[in-house]
Amino acid sequence: MSLEELNTRIVSCRLCPRLVKHREYVAANPPPRFRSERYWARPLTGFGDVEARLLVLGLAPAAHGGNRTGRMFTGDSSGDTLVKSLYRAGFANQDRSVSLEDGLVLHDAYITAVVRCAPPSNKPTAAEVRNCVKYLAEELRLLRNVKVCVALGRLAFTTYIQLLKREGVQLSRSPVFKHGAVYRLEGTLHGKPVPVLIPSYHPSRQNTNTGRLTQQMLDHVFQKARGLVG
Ligand code: SF4
């Protein structure tokens, strides 16, 4: 399967009834500030540079962010924070991500997520993660140059580790979630070295408002990634 074929399959997926209902409900009942907008209200594909050496792995689209704009980390505060750090580390041509027409181009980076539809309260169920992770598995096969993976949040991190194990990667020790750690994993994935893994707190509003994650902390994560990809 090519990336285009995979993305065609993703955008027409309706496998999780709860998420299908939610993504369409929020689109039909937007808050006043978005009332004039037409929501995407479908699953989101990954986006960015298909030759990327950096993979950025998020959790799921936000109801009024990606689910509205049609692109991950676009049109909400998580996207603002993430793209600022990507820009400062040289992975993006600009520091804003507001709409499909905003001119954002990623260099050597590809953004994706473990779940493609906006979940209620940003919390997918275990079954929904299981349903959706097959798309990430296929992306990992198709993105041939990935050397570093930044996993945003604990769920993205643990799902990625489980996926590696399912793909046959033998890990002598299972990495633990620690913001900014660098895990050089042994073994191969689809015939290539397993990408270096960097866990990071998710740039959610909850984390940035409470100071758990600052812009500077996220900058450091992507500067580390920059150092590792060269
Ligand atoms: S979350 Fe994934 S598996 Fe579930 S409906 Fe959306 S695209 Fe399909």
mmCIF file with all atom_site columns, all heavy atoms in Angstrom, residues 5-18:
data_model
loop_
_atom_site.group_PDB
_atom_site.id
_atom_site.type_symbol
_atom_site.label_atom_id
_atom_site.label_alt_id
_atom_site.label_comp_id
_atom_site.label_asym_id
_atom_site.label_entity_id
_atom_site.label_seq_id
_atom_site.pdbx_PDB_ins_code
_atom_site.Cartn_x
_atom_site.Cartn_y
_atom_site.Cartn_z
_atom_site.occupancy
_atom_site.B_iso_or_equiv
_atom_site.pdbx_formal_charge
_atom_site.auth_seq_id
_atom_site.auth_comp_id
_atom_site.auth_asym_id
_atom_site.auth_atom_id
_atom_site.pdbx_PDB_model_num
ATOM 1   N N   . GLU A 1 5  ? -2.680  5.682  -0.689 1.00 0.00 ? 5  GLU A N   1
ATOM 2   C CA  . GLU A 1 5  ? -3.750  4.685  -0.513 1.00 0.00 ? 5  GLU A CA  1
ATOM 3   C C   . GLU A 1 5  ? -4.112  4.543  0.966  1.00 0.00 ? 5  GLU A C   1
ATOM 4   O O   . GLU A 1 5  ? -5.284  4.433  1.329  1.00 0.00 ? 5  GLU A O   1
ATOM 5   C CB  . GLU A 1 5  ? -3.302  3.328  -1.078 1.00 0.00 ? 5  GLU A CB  1
ATOM 6   C CG  . GLU A 1 5  ? -3.283  3.310  -2.595 1.00 0.00 ? 5  GLU A CG  1
ATOM 7   C CD  . GLU A 1 5  ? -2.505  2.130  -3.175 1.00 0.00 ? 5  GLU A CD  1
ATOM 8   O OE1 . GLU A 1 5  ? -1.632  1.568  -2.478 1.00 0.00 ? 5  GLU A OE1 1
ATOM 9   O OE2 . GLU A 1 5  ? -2.765  1.788  -4.331 1.00 0.00 ? 5  GLU A OE2 1
ATOM 10  N N   . LEU A 1 6  ? -3.089  4.560  1.803  1.00 0.00 ? 6  LEU A N   1
ATOM 11  C CA  . LEU A 1 6  ? -3.350  4.477  3.245  1.00 0.00 ? 6  LEU A CA  1
ATOM 12  C C   . LEU A 1 6  ? -4.213  5.663  3.687  1.00 0.00 ? 6  LEU A C   1
ATOM 13  O O   . LEU A 1 6  ? -5.194  5.504  4.419  1.00 0.00 ? 6  LEU A O   1
ATOM 14  C CB  . LEU A 1 6  ? -2.026  4.476  4.026  1.00 0.00 ? 6  LEU A CB  1
ATOM 15  C CG  . LEU A 1 6  ? -2.171  4.565  5.542  1.00 0.00 ? 6  LEU A CG  1
ATOM 16  C CD1 . LEU A 1 6  ? -2.832  3.320  6.105  1.00 0.00 ? 6  LEU A CD1 1
ATOM 17  C CD2 . LEU A 1 6  ? -0.816  4.789  6.214  1.00 0.00 ? 6  LEU A CD2 1
ATOM 18  N N   . ASN A 1 7  ? -3.847  6.860  3.238  1.00 0.00 ? 7  ASN A N   1
ATOM 19  C CA  . ASN A 1 7  ? -4.577  8.053  3.667  1.00 0.00 ? 7  ASN A CA  1
ATOM 20  C C   . ASN A 1 7  ? -6.025  8.048  3.157  1.00 0.00 ? 7  ASN A C   1
ATOM 21  O O   . ASN A 1 7  ? -6.938  8.501  3.854  1.00 0.00 ? 7  ASN A O   1
ATOM 22  C CB  . ASN A 1 7  ? -3.836  9.311  3.211  1.00 0.00 ? 7  ASN A CB  1
ATOM 23  C CG  . ASN A 1 7  ? -2.553  9.504  4.011  1.00 0.00 ? 7  ASN A CG  1
ATOM 24  O OD1 . ASN A 1 7  ? -2.389  8.912  5.084  1.00 0.00 ? 7  ASN A OD1 1
ATOM 25  N ND2 . ASN A 1 7  ? -1.646  10.325 3.511  1.00 0.00 ? 7  ASN A ND2 1
ATOM 26  N N   . THR A 1 8  ? -6.220  7.514  1.962  1.00 0.00 ? 8  THR A N   1
ATOM 27  C CA  . THR A 1 8  ? -7.588  7.386  1.438  1.00 0.00 ? 8  THR A CA  1
ATOM 28  C C   . THR A 1 8  ? -8.412  6.471  2.338  1.00 0.00 ? 8  THR A C   1
ATOM 29  O O   . THR A 1 8  ? -9.574  6.734  2.649  1.00 0.00 ? 8  THR A O   1
ATOM 30  C CB  . THR A 1 8  ? -7.551  6.821  -0.001 1.00 0.00 ? 8  THR A CB  1
ATOM 31  O OG1 . THR A 1 8  ? -6.779  7.697  -0.793 1.00 0.00 ? 8  THR A OG1 1
ATOM 32  C CG2 . THR A 1 8  ? -8.945  6.681  -0.585 1.00 0.00 ? 8  THR A CG2 1
ATOM 33  N N   . ARG A 1 9  ? -7.766  5.401  2.781  1.00 0.00 ? 9  ARG A N   1
ATOM 34  C CA  . ARG A 1 9  ? -8.460  4.454  3.660  1.00 0.00 ? 9  ARG A CA  1
ATOM 35  C C   . ARG A 1 9  ? -8.767  5.122  5.011  1.00 0.00 ? 9  ARG A C   1
ATOM 36  O O   . ARG A 1 9  ? -9.852  4.961  5.561  1.00 0.00 ? 9  ARG A O   1
ATOM 37  C CB  . ARG A 1 9  ? -7.553  3.234  3.862  1.00 0.00 ? 9  ARG A CB  1
ATOM 38  C CG  . ARG A 1 9  ? -8.255  2.069  4.460  1.00 0.00 ? 9  ARG A CG  1
ATOM 39  C CD  . ARG A 1 9  ? -7.375  0.840  4.469  1.00 0.00 ? 9  ARG A CD  1
ATOM 40  N NE  . ARG A 1 9  ? -7.165  0.287  3.142  1.00 0.00 ? 9  ARG A NE  1
ATOM 41  C CZ  . ARG A 1 9  ? -6.652  -0.913 2.930  1.00 0.00 ? 9  ARG A CZ  1
ATOM 42  N NH1 . ARG A 1 9  ? -6.289  -1.669 3.929  1.00 0.00 ? 9  ARG A NH1 1
ATOM 43  N NH2 . ARG A 1 9  ? -6.485  -1.352 1.711  1.00 0.00 ? 9  ARG A NH2 1
ATOM 44  N N   . ILE A 1 10 ? -7.807  5.872  5.541  1.00 0.00 ? 10 ILE A N   1
ATOM 45  C CA  . ILE A 1 10 ? -7.997  6.499  6.851  1.00 0.00 ? 10 ILE A CA  1
ATOM 46  C C   . ILE A 1 10 ? -9.194  7.456  6.823  1.00 0.00 ? 10 ILE A C   1
ATOM 47  O O   . ILE A 1 10 ? -10.067 7.393  7.696  1.00 0.00 ? 10 ILE A O   1
ATOM 48  C CB  . ILE A 1 10 ? -6.716  7.256  7.292  1.00 0.00 ? 10 ILE A CB  1
ATOM 49  C CG1 . ILE A 1 10 ? -5.593  6.257  7.627  1.00 0.00 ? 10 ILE A CG1 1
ATOM 50  C CG2 . ILE A 1 10 ? -6.994  8.163  8.497  1.00 0.00 ? 10 ILE A CG2 1
ATOM 51  C CD1 . ILE A 1 10 ? -4.237  6.895  7.872  1.00 0.00 ? 10 ILE A CD1 1
ATOM 52  N N   . VAL A 1 11 ? -9.250  8.333  5.844  1.00 0.00 ? 11 VAL A N   1
ATOM 53  C CA  . VAL A 1 11 ? -10.274 9.387  5.892  1.00 0.00 ? 11 VAL A CA  1
ATOM 54  C C   . VAL A 1 11 ? -11.698 8.848  5.728  1.00 0.00 ? 11 VAL A C   1
ATOM 55  O O   . VAL A 1 11 ? -12.656 9.547  6.050  1.00 0.00 ? 11 VAL A O   1
ATOM 56  C CB  . VAL A 1 11 ? -10.030 10.531 4.878  1.00 0.00 ? 11 VAL A CB  1
ATOM 57  C CG1 . VAL A 1 11 ? -8.758  11.274 5.196  1.00 0.00 ? 11 VAL A CG1 1
ATOM 58  C CG2 . VAL A 1 11 ? -10.036 10.043 3.453  1.00 0.00 ? 11 VAL A CG2 1
ATOM 59  N N   . SER A 1 12 ? -11.814 7.620  5.243  1.00 0.00 ? 12 SER A N   1
ATOM 60  C CA  . SER A 1 12 ? -13.178 7.070  5.110  1.00 0.00 ? 12 SER A CA  1
ATOM 61  C C   . SER A 1 12 ? -13.519 6.094  6.238  1.00 0.00 ? 12 SER A C   1
ATOM 62  O O   . SER A 1 12 ? -14.576 5.459  6.211  1.00 0.00 ? 12 SER A O   1
ATOM 63  C CB  . SER A 1 12 ? -13.334 6.396  3.743  1.00 0.00 ? 12 SER A CB  1
ATOM 64  O OG  . SER A 1 12 ? -12.383 5.374  3.628  1.00 0.00 ? 12 SER A OG  1
ATOM 65  N N   . CYS A 1 13 ? -12.649 5.988  7.252  1.00 0.00 ? 13 CYS A N   1
ATOM 66  C CA  . CYS A 1 13 ? -12.849 4.983  8.304  1.00 0.00 ? 13 CYS A CA  1
ATOM 67  C C   . CYS A 1 13 ? -13.995 5.396  9.250  1.00 0.00 ? 13 CYS A C   1
ATOM 68  O O   . CYS A 1 13 ? -14.102 6.552  9.647  1.00 0.00 ? 13 CYS A O   1
ATOM 69  C CB  . CYS A 1 13 ? -11.554 4.816  9.086  1.00 0.00 ? 13 CYS A CB  1
ATOM 70  S SG  . CYS A 1 13 ? -11.658 3.533  10.354 1.00 0.00 ? 13 CYS A SG  1
ATOM 71  N N   . ARG A 1 14 ? -14.812 4.407  9.603  1.00 0.00 ? 14 ARG A N   1
ATOM 72  C CA  . ARG A 1 14 ? -15.911 4.630  10.560 1.00 0.00 ? 14 ARG A CA  1
ATOM 73  C C   . ARG A 1 14 ? -15.966 3.487  11.567 1.00 0.00 ? 14 ARG A C   1
ATOM 74  O O   . ARG A 1 14 ? -17.026 3.098  12.042 1.00 0.00 ? 14 ARG A O   1
ATOM 75  C CB  . ARG A 1 14 ? -17.260 4.732  9.815  1.00 0.00 ? 14 ARG A CB  1
ATOM 76  C CG  . ARG A 1 14 ? -17.320 5.854  8.803  1.00 0.00 ? 14 ARG A CG  1
ATOM 77  C CD  . ARG A 1 14 ? -18.667 5.924  8.087  1.00 0.00 ? 14 ARG A CD  1
ATOM 78  N NE  . ARG A 1 14 ? -19.748 6.308  8.956  1.00 0.00 ? 14 ARG A NE  1
ATOM 79  C CZ  . ARG A 1 14 ? -20.077 7.551  9.247  1.00 0.00 ? 14 ARG A CZ  1
ATOM 80  N NH1 . ARG A 1 14 ? -19.392 8.558  8.724  1.00 0.00 ? 14 ARG A NH1 1
ATOM 81  N NH2 . ARG A 1 14 ? -21.078 7.805  10.057 1.00 0.00 ? 14 ARG A NH2 1
ATOM 82  N N   . LEU A 1 15 ? -14.808 2.965  11.907 1.00 0.00 ? 15 LEU A N   1
ATOM 83  C CA  . LEU A 1 15 ? -14.750 1.749  12.714 1.00 0.00 ? 15 LEU A CA  1
ATOM 84  C C   . LEU A 1 15 ? -15.165 1.945  14.171 1.00 0.00 ? 15 LEU A C   1
ATOM 85  O O   . LEU A 1 15 ? -15.624 0.999  14.809 1.00 0.00 ? 15 LEU A O   1
ATOM 86  C CB  . LEU A 1 15 ? -13.301 1.208  12.656 1.00 0.00 ? 15 LEU A CB  1
ATOM 87  C CG  . LEU A 1 15 ? -13.051 -0.222 13.076 1.00 0.00 ? 15 LEU A CG  1
ATOM 88  C CD1 . LEU A 1 15 ? -13.919 -1.201 12.299 1.00 0.00 ? 15 LEU A CD1 1
ATOM 89  C CD2 . LEU A 1 15 ? -11.562 -0.562 12.843 1.00 0.00 ? 15 LEU A CD2 1
ATOM 90  N N   . CYS A 1 16 ? -14.997 3.155  14.695 1.00 0.00 ? 16 CYS A N   1
ATOM 91  C CA  . CYS A 1 16 ? -15.296 3.381  16.122 1.00 0.00 ? 16 CYS A CA  1
ATOM 92  C C   . CYS A 1 16 ? -16.589 4.196  16.247 1.00 0.00 ? 16 CYS A C   1
ATOM 93  O O   . CYS A 1 16 ? -16.564 5.426  16.072 1.00 0.00 ? 16 CYS A O   1
ATOM 94  C CB  . CYS A 1 16 ? -14.159 4.147  16.791 1.00 0.00 ? 16 CYS A CB  1
ATOM 95  S SG  . CYS A 1 16 ? -12.546 3.417  16.531 1.00 0.00 ? 16 CYS A SG  1
ATOM 96  N N   . PRO A 1 17 ? -17.718 3.558  16.550 1.00 0.00 ? 17 PRO A N   1
ATOM 97  C CA  . PRO A 1 17 ? -19.004 4.272  16.529 1.00 0.00 ? 17 PRO A CA  1
ATOM 98  C C   . PRO A 1 17 ? -19.020 5.485  17.467 1.00 0.00 ? 17 PRO A C   1
ATOM 99  O O   . PRO A 1 17 ? -19.560 6.525  17.110 1.00 0.00 ? 17 PRO A O   1
ATOM 100 C CB  . PRO A 1 17 ? -20.004 3.211  16.997 1.00 0.00 ? 17 PRO A CB  1
ATOM 101 C CG  . PRO A 1 17 ? -19.291 1.910  16.950 1.00 0.00 ? 17 PRO A CG  1
ATOM 102 C CD  . PRO A 1 17 ? -17.818 2.154  16.906 1.00 0.00 ? 17 PRO A CD  1
ATOM 103 N N   . ARG A 1 18 ? -18.411 5.356  18.648 1.00 0.00 ? 18 ARG A N   1
ATOM 104 C CA  . ARG A 1 18 ? -18.432 6.471  19.605 1.00 0.00 ? 18 ARG A CA  1
ATOM 105 C C   . ARG A 1 18 ? -17.683 7.684  19.030 1.00 0.00 ? 18 ARG A C   1
ATOM 106 O O   . ARG A 1 18 ? -18.130 8.828  19.157 1.00 0.00 ? 18 ARG A O   1
ATOM 107 C CB  . ARG A 1 18 ? -17.775 6.018  20.918 1.00 0.00 ? 18 ARG A CB  1
ATOM 108 C CG  . ARG A 1 18 ? -17.901 7.014  22.051 1.00 0.00 ? 18 ARG A CG  1
ATOM 109 C CD  . ARG A 1 18 ? -17.177 6.520  23.293 1.00 0.00 ? 18 ARG A CD  1
ATOM 110 N NE  . ARG A 1 18 ? -15.739 6.669  23.193 1.00 0.00 ? 18 ARG A NE  1
ATOM 111 C CZ  . ARG A 1 18 ? -15.016 7.453  23.973 1.00 0.00 ? 18 ARG A CZ  1
ATOM 112 N NH1 . ARG A 1 18 ? -15.594 8.142  24.942 1.00 0.00 ? 18 ARG A NH1 1
ATOM 113 N NH2 . ARG A 1 18 ? -13.700 7.553  23.815 1.00 0.00 ? 18 ARG A NH2 1
#
